[in-house]
Amino acid sequence: MNFTPLPTVDAASVPDDGLVLDVREDDEWAAGRVEGALHVPMSSFVDRFGEVTEVLAERGRAYVMCRVGGRSAQVTQYLVQQGFDAVNVDGGMIAWENAGRPVVSDNGPGFVA
């Protein structure tokens, strides 16, 4: 059986105008997120798949992110299997924050929960 390697990118390489798809849960999202990211928790991903595909049709590649990369790897794999251009952000929000990329919340600067 052939396995295609999961497409990944490091957090520092995500373009500023790239579509970040954040699959963390609501409490994690509220604490801190990438500004402009699309929030679709993994727990409701299947129910909201139509919404995700509409955005992907408009924006192209999705940079899928969670806290450290496990959940986002599963979602990335699913999207790729469905024929979408998706890459997993290696290390997730932890790597994003460590790379000095901005993390925001509703009240200004955020943090990774």
Side-chain angles (χ1 to χ4, degrees), residues 24 32-34 65-67 91-97 103 112:
R24 298 174 302 146
R33 60 188 169 269
V34 175
M65 189 178 306
C66 64
R67 186 171 189 273
M93 284 296 297
I94 300 273
W96 182 272
E97 189 174 51
V103 178
V112 179

Side-chain angles (χ1 to χ4, degrees), residues 3-16:
F3 290 100
T4 304
L6 185 68
T8 62
V9 65
D10 63 280
S13 298
V14 175
D16 290 339

